[in-house]
Amino acid sequence: QVQLVESGGGSVQAGGSLRLSCAASGFRLRDENMYMGWFRQTPGQEREGVGAVWPHTSHLGTLYYVDYADSVRDRFTISIDYINNSIYLQMNSVQPEDTAMYYCAATSSPLGTTITRLMSRSYNSWGQGTQVTVSS
């Protein structure tokens, strides 16, 4: 069955960097229409979309597209490792407002717009989350 396991969370000072990992099993990230998302949530708040990544196959091989929320664009980078069937969230220049539980999510339903790719209800498989705490 589908399983997602996040890791890499921890405590970091403002301005620092952190790299989160999400190891996927039960499916292949390179499969058509496999969309992966990174989300974050603080207590009492709704889960917020951070970014999404999905495969793109052409004569150049299987690359990927990414989407980002405006709040993290130019600071966070999402990537895929097809060999290890994992995705990553590189977080740079983190701020205290980035403090949250971070989740990765997956769906095999095509998500055709940025809005749907950053909506939590678009995804049906979730990891257990990894906590990121940024101190000022």
Side-chain angles (χ1 to χ4, degrees), residues 41-122:
Q41 189 172 27
T42 55
Q45 300 297 314
E46 292 189 3
R47 203 162 285 190
E48 173 193 17
V50 174
V53 60
W54 63 103
H56 171 66
T57 300
S58 71
H59 66 283
L60 297 175
T62 303
L63 307 177
Y64 56 88
Y65 290 126
V66 290
D67 256 337
Y68 297 100
D70 289 342
S71 58
V72 305
R73 195 183 308 275
D74 297 329
R75 298 189 300 122
F76 291 7
T77 302
I78 297 174
S79 59
I80 290 182
D81 181 343
Y82 290 120
I83 295 177
N84 291 309
N85 215 46
S86 297
I87 66 170
Y88 304 95
L89 179 65
Q90 177 67 43
M91 306 168 61
N92 297 330
S93 302
V94 294
Q95 300 301 316
E97 53 265 33
D98 295 320
T99 295
M101 184 72 78
Y102 282 73
Y103 300 89
C104 67
T107 182
S108 57
S109 299
L111 304 177
T113 66
T114 298
I115 291 177
T116 58
R117 289 189 283 266
L118 298 182
M119 288 172 55
S120 60
R121 65 171 183 259
S122 297

Side-chain angles (χ1 to χ4, degrees), residues 5-20:
V5 179
E6 302 96 335
S7 61
S11 297
V12 61
Q13 288 194 326
S17 298
L18 212 56
R19 187 187 191 221
L20 307 184

